């Protein structure tokens, strides 16, 4: 009979079968209870694959204030297709109080209404197994053993606790012996992100494809040292004044960041030419052994890994750290750079058939909690790319 | 553990403060689930969408009353539940069965199911994960067929065409999927809910 229930739930039972099922359901309260339980589970886990109707909601509600600017922008040395901007302009006025997310949805919407017939040829998907990234990490303990942390997996041991979304080291008092220091590693795979609170209370948000090395506890009075082995991390450092003046240092392969108590973002991916450090609050000193630089809030330093040259510029902090809050925020970023960010979060390879496409600049905010295909559709609908193809874990932009 | 603000909690606070992008985050996260939920009772995708949209609008207008992030799905499902119940009570639901008695019986059972749902005490995330995992564990073809039927609402014939197999093969895979899920989930669900 259980089989019949599932058949009914999945809409594959014939009318005769449903009649039999309902008779069975009414036959006893036990039966009914089981039926109701199974249907409850079924409806709660149901989903649909509808295109997003965000615009419909948006139209019915008044949002209080502008959140982001919006613009899709063609690289300047390319002619033609400049009408993109003129298409956008009338919307601009309307959309002053909206985000690119909305604008993008509008494009999506109009295009869907217009020519859904041609869409099929422009998009081809084979064996797609692309999933949205989630909270996950591997914790490597001092004895070399690995523990997988992900949603639904909790872990606790001595002063360490994790609920699968974050890991927290509780404070240990009175450790005075430097030789007792042991290190743990937190490794975030592609398609992952994680959050850790170190033993001194410093909070670290880790982005996809990152690794942090840190002591299980800090020694009183000694400089606190952690290492961003690779990847991107946002640090909210517990102030030195709470730790008898102990400095906090973040090492990356190419530079050392010395802080007193502050918030900043470090991006040091192995496949990128620069190490970016963005200061949100407070003060940090950057040292790459050739030169020392001090950053002020809202400043970003870009260290060229090869030449060791450092360039400091003013940036929009919110854009730089939006990954931490569940968004991708791009401000005049090339499609190539955007592809890099997307490929880490969705764990895919993104390839361009025509190299010139890599240089098209985009601006906008996207939610990290949507399918990659939605984002690809959005990009496709700007008309800067003609088509895309998904094959296993690779996306080919045409 | 509670004192620390994780990324998710910070999105929640932004939502509470009236941040549209944070609201969109939850929309992306839950919209398809709420539509899917409503379809099970209303048997009509358009009606389901409009009920789901109303639920989201209600959520936005009442965001100050939501006290924690797990309250968001609970709020949305509760709103969808009462809308679905209303539609059934006012006979606005079109049944898929020809037999009138069968229609009536189904509407009555659906009302009982809806009334039995209490979203305040339920761990939706855990439940969803368990079922998702069971679906993931199905043999590949089975899973494909099952997802196309269940989530994309496709007919056996359409699925057969897409996959380039016979309708019989689709049916066989569907039966197998149902059997496997049944074995894996029946016990768990009976103790869980």
């Amino acid at each position: 009979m259980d089989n019949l229930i599932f058949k009914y739930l999945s809409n594959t039972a014939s009318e005769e079968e449903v009649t039999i099922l309902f008779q069975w359901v009414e036959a006893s309260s036990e039966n009914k209870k089981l039926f109701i339980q199974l249907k409850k589970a079924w409806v709660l886990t149901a989903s649909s694959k509808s295109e997003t109707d965000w615009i419909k909601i948006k139209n019915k509600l008044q949002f209080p204030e502008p959140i982001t600017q919006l613009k899709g922008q063609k690289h300047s040395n390319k002619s033609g297709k400049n009408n993109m901007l003129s298409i956008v302009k009338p919307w601009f006025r309307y959309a002053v109080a909206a985000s690119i997310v909305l604008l993008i949805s509008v494009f999506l919407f109009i295009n869907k209404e217009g020519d859904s017939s041609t869409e099929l040829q422009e998009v081809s998907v084979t064996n797609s197994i692309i999933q949205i990234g989630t909270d996950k990490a591997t914790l490597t303990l001092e004895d070399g053993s690995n523990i997988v942390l992900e949603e639904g997996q909790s872990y606790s041991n001595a002063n360490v606790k994790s609920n699968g979304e974050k890991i927290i080291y509780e404070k240990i008092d009175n450790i005075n012996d430097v030789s007792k220091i042991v290190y743990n590693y937190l490794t975030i795979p592609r398609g992952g992100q994680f959050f850790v609170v170190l033993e001194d209370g410093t909070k670290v948000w880790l982005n996809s494809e990152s690794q942090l090395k840190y002591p299980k506890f800090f020694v009183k009075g000694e400089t606190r040292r952690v290492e961003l082995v690779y990847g991107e991390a946002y640090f909210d450092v517990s102030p030195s004044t709470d730790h008898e003046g102990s400095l906090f240092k973040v090492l990356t392969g190419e530079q050392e960041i010395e802080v007193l108590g502050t918030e900043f973002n470090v991006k040091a991916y192995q496949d990128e030419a620069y190490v970016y450090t963005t200061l949100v609050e407070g003060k940090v000193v950057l040292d790459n052994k050739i030169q020392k630089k001090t950053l002020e809030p809202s400043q970003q330093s870009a260290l060229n890994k090869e030449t060791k040259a450092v360039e400091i510029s003013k940036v929009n902090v919110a854009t730089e750290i939006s990954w931490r809050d569940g968004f991708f925020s791009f401000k005049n970023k090339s499609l190539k750079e955007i592809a890099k960010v997307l490929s880490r979060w969705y764990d895919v390879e993104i390839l361009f058939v025509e190299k010139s496409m890599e240089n098209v600049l985009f601006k906008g905010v996207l939610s990290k909690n949507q399918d990659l295909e939605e984002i690809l559709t959005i990009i496709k609908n700007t008309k800067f790319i003609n088509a895309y193809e998904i094959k296993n874990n690779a996306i080919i932009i045409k | 553990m509670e004192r620390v603000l994780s990324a998710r909690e910070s999105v929640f606070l932004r939502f509470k403060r009236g941040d549209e992008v944070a609201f969109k985050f939850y929309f992306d996260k839950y919209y398809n689930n709420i539509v899917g939920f409503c379809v099970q009772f209303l048997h009509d995708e358009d009606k389901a969408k409009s009920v789901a949209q109303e639920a989201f609008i209600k959520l936005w207008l009442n965001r100050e009353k939501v006290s924690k992030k797990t309250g968001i799905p609970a709020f949305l499902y509760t709103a969808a539940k009462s809308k679905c119940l209303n539609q059934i009570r006012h006979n606005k639901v079109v049944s898929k069965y020809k037999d009138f008695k069968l229609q009536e019986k189904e509407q009555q059972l659906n009302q009982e199911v809806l009334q039995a749902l209490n979203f305040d005490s339920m761990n939706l995330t855990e439940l969803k994960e368990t079922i998702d995992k069971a679906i993931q564990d199905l043999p590949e073809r089975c899973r494909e067929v099952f997802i196309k039927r269940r989530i994309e609402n496709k007919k056996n014939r359409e699925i057969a065409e897409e996959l380039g197999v016979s309708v019989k093969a689709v049916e066989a895979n569907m039966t197998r999927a149902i059997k496997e899920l049944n074995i894996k989930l029946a016990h768990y669900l009976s103790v869980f809910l």
Side-chain angles (χ1 to χ4, degrees):
Chain A
M1 192 46 73
D2 288 356
N3 261 346
L4 204 50
I5 299 180
F6 277 105
K7 226 171 163 186
Y8 161 76
L9 291 173
S10 61
N11 239 332
T12 45
S14 68
E15 211 156 318
E16 289 72 41
E17 286 173 316
V18 178
T19 312
I20 295 168
L21 173 68
F22 284 179
Q23 277 165 4
W24 175 85
V25 168
E26 293 303 330
S28 80
S29 60
E30 284 288 295
N31 295 355
K32 189 176 234 175
K33 200 173 146 203
L34 178 64
F35 173 83
I36 289 180
Q37 275 166 351
L38 289 176
K39 174 133 190 179
K40 270 160 79 173
W42 188 263
V43 300
L44 286 175
T45 52
S47 187
S48 73
K49 217 190 169 183
S50 45
E51 70 206 67
T52 113
D53 290 328
W54 174 245
I55 187 71
K56 292 181 186 157
I57 304 251
K58 166 78 196 168
N59 282 343
K60 285 184 189 154
L61 295 172
Q62 294 232 309
F63 288 106
E65 58 190 280
I67 290 156
T68 42
Q69 303 169 341
L70 46 140
K71 189 151 66 176
Q73 188 178 302
K74 189 78 181 166
H75 202 247
S76 52
N77 62 10
K78 267 237 159 187
S79 59
K81 281 189 180 169
N82 272 337
N83 53 349
M84 166 65 189
L85 280 177
S86 55
I87 297 169
V88 178
K89 264 182 187 158
W91 281 104
F92 245 101
R93 258 171 280 132
Y94 161 73
V96 173
S99 70
I100 185 100
V101 182
L102 162 67
L103 180 75
I104 281 163
S105 318
V106 173
F107 271 118
L108 197 61
F109 192 62
I110 292 171
N111 260 50
K112 277 262 160 64
E113 300 274 289
D115 51 0
S116 56
S117 55
T118 55
E119 196 141 312
L120 283 171
Q121 296 153 1
E122 294 172 355
V123 178
S124 88
V125 180
T126 357
N127 296 333
S128 167
I129 41 162
I130 295 163
Q131 290 183 343
I132 301 172
T134 54
D135 290 329
K136 58 182 168 225
T138 302
L139 170 68
T140 308
L141 296 174
E142 53 275 26
D143 64 2
S145 58
N146 287 323
I147 292 144
V148 174
L149 307 171
E150 60 192 346
E151 251 183 300
Q153 303 270 5
S154 54
Y155 168 78
S156 79
N157 179 13
N159 71 326
V160 193
K161 246 191 215 167
S162 173
N163 63 356
E165 269 181 43
K166 50 190 176 190
I167 180 164
I168 303 201
Y169 288 78
E170 271 158 20
K171 199 159 174 40
I172 299 179
D173 285 326
N174 300 321
I175 292 195
N176 297 312
D177 187 353
V178 185
S179 67
K180 288 214 172 90
I181 285 194
V182 288
Y183 289 92
N184 284 183
Y185 286 83
L186 206 53
T187 309
I188 323 301
R190 287 162 72 91
Q193 63 179 9
F194 219 72
F195 174 66
V196 54
V197 181
L198 303 178
E199 188 260 350
D200 66 336
T202 292
K203 297 165 199 162
V204 188
W205 285 259
L206 287 153
N207 206 346
S208 311
E209 210 178 1
S210 302
Q211 188 178 63
L212 185 73
K213 178 187 176 186
Y214 52 93
K216 209 171 169 183
F217 46 80
F218 295 93
V219 174
K220 223 173 156 186
E222 293 289 318
T223 296
R224 297 167 282 161
R225 281 173 206 276
V226 303
E227 184 179 349
L228 179 62
V229 184
Y230 55 82
E232 181 167 24
Y234 182 96
F235 291 89
D236 178 354
V237 176
S238 170
S240 298
T241 46
D242 293 353
H243 302 279
E244 302 179 352
S246 287
L247 288 174
F248 191 95
K249 282 189 179 177
V250 179
L251 311 174
T252 64
E254 294 77 14
Q255 72 173 8
E256 194 176 277
I257 307 167
E258 187 183 298
V259 300
L260 293 169
T262 180
E263 293 187 33
F264 58 98
N265 191 70
V266 188
K267 193 163 139 189
Y269 279 107
Q270 285 163 328
D271 59 351
E272 289 187 22
Y274 291 87
V275 175
Y276 297 95
T277 311
T278 311
L279 184 62
V280 179
E281 237 179 72
K283 199 174 174 182
V284 296
V285 179
L286 309 177
D287 185 354
N288 65 13
K289 301 213 171 83
I290 294 174
Q291 52 197 327
K292 275 193 182 192
K293 297 264 184 190
T294 307
L295 282 189
E296 300 293 331
S298 301
Q299 280 187 339
Q300 180 180 73
S301 91
L303 164 67
N304 187 320
K305 286 197 227 172
E306 214 167 294
T307 65
K308 304 286 178 207
V310 178
E311 223 176 281
I312 293 179
S313 58
K314 209 163 169 66
V315 293
N316 182 335
V317 170
T319 304
E320 296 301 316
I321 65 168
S322 64
W323 64 268
R324 200 192 69 162
D325 295 334
F327 302 96
F328 300 116
S329 190
F330 302 113
K331 212 176 170 191
N332 297 338
K333 288 277 185 246
S334 69
L335 208 46
K336 189 183 179 184
E337 290 171 280
I338 292 173
K340 226 169 220 175
V341 173
L342 295 178
S343 68
R344 287 183 194 124
W345 181 239
Y346 294 96
D347 192 11
V348 291
E349 294 304 323
I350 301 182
L351 310 163
F352 294 88
V353 170
E354 259 187 71
K355 289 283 166 225
S356 67
M357 287 173 181
E358 294 182 347
N359 300 321
V360 179
L361 300 181
F362 280 89
K363 197 172 188 178
V365 181
L366 297 160
S367 163
K368 281 169 84 174
N369 199 15
Q370 61 186 333
D371 283 328
L372 179 57
E373 274 207 68
E374 279 181 56
I375 294 177
L376 292 173
T377 309
I378 287 162
I379 295 173
K380 191 174 81 63
N381 286 339
T382 62
K383 307 289 184 207
F384 284 110
I385 67 170
N386 302 315
Y388 65 85
E389 192 183 332
I390 302 181
K391 256 190 188 165
N392 299 317
N393 255 25
I395 289 157
I396 300 148
I397 309 270
K398 295 175 181 172
Chain B
M1 261 201 191
E2 272 65 43
R3 287 177 297 118
V4 180
L5 206 62
S6 73
R8 279 153 191 240
E9 285 152 353
S10 116
V11 174
F12 179 67
L13 288 182
R14 287 168 56 167
F15 163 75
K16 294 272 285 177
R17 284 200 298 262
D19 181 324
E20 177 191 342
V21 181
F23 180 46
K24 170 78 162 62
F25 177 90
Y26 291 119
F27 179 86
D28 288 336
K29 191 165 175 171
Y30 296 117
Y31 182 67
N32 280 337
N33 282 111
I34 302 292
V35 173
F37 173 86
C38 296
V39 168
Q40 304 295 322
F41 297 103
L42 306 177
H43 312 307
D44 179 317
E45 188 107 7
D46 287 333
K47 276 188 191 162
K49 282 182 177 185
S50 104
V51 167
Q53 282 160 28
E54 284 177 53
F56 274 92
I57 288 170
K58 200 171 169 193
L59 170 70
W60 177 254
L61 298 174
N62 290 281
R63 62 186 179 276
E64 273 152 33
K65 291 180 196 150
V66 183
S67 58
K68 51 180 195 286
K69 65 182 197 293
T70 53
I72 290 176
F75 187 101
L76 290 167
Y77 276 110
T78 307
K81 165 190 164 176
S82 72
K83 291 268 172 208
C84 287
L85 266 177
N86 268 336
Q87 298 246 353
I88 295 174
R89 282 183 188 136
H90 295 103
N91 297 318
K92 285 186 183 154
V93 178
V94 182
S95 174
K96 41 185 196 289
Y97 305 118
K98 290 187 210 86
D99 181 25
F100 181 69
K101 269 197 183 145
L102 207 56
Q103 291 177 18
E104 256 196 345
K105 190 73 232 159
E106 180 169 53
Q107 302 300 3
Q108 186 210 319
L109 280 172
N110 276 345
Q111 288 194 47
E112 286 186 52
V113 172
L114 281 165
Q115 275 154 353
L117 285 165
N118 176 6
F119 299 102
D120 298 329
S121 60
M122 204 174 275
N123 188 341
L124 291 169
T125 317
E126 187 182 335
L127 178 63
K128 191 172 172 340
E129 273 164 12
T130 308
I131 295 188
D132 283 351
K133 174 134 195 340
I135 295 173
Q136 278 307 318
D137 289 347
L138 289 172
E140 194 181 336
R141 229 336 118 72
C142 268
R143 185 177 64 229
E144 249 177 313
V145 169
F146 184 81
I147 288 173
K148 283 189 192 297
R149 265 222 76 109
R150 173 134 195 259
I151 298 171
E152 300 170 23
N153 270 320
K154 290 206 169 109
K155 298 198 168 61
N156 285 350
R157 188 179 37 77
E158 294 171 324
I159 299 172
E161 270 168 30
E162 269 178 50
L163 300 178
V165 297
S166 67
V167 174
K168 272 230 157 8
V170 171
E171 282 168 2
N173 270 308
M174 193 64 202
T175 310
R176 181 160 173 216
I178 287 165
K179 264 198 183 131
E180 301 229 352
L181 287 177
N182 185 14
I183 294 163
K184 281 194 183 122
L185 294 175
H187 173 70
Y188 173 80
L189 294 175
S190 61
V191 289
F192 189 84
L193 284 180

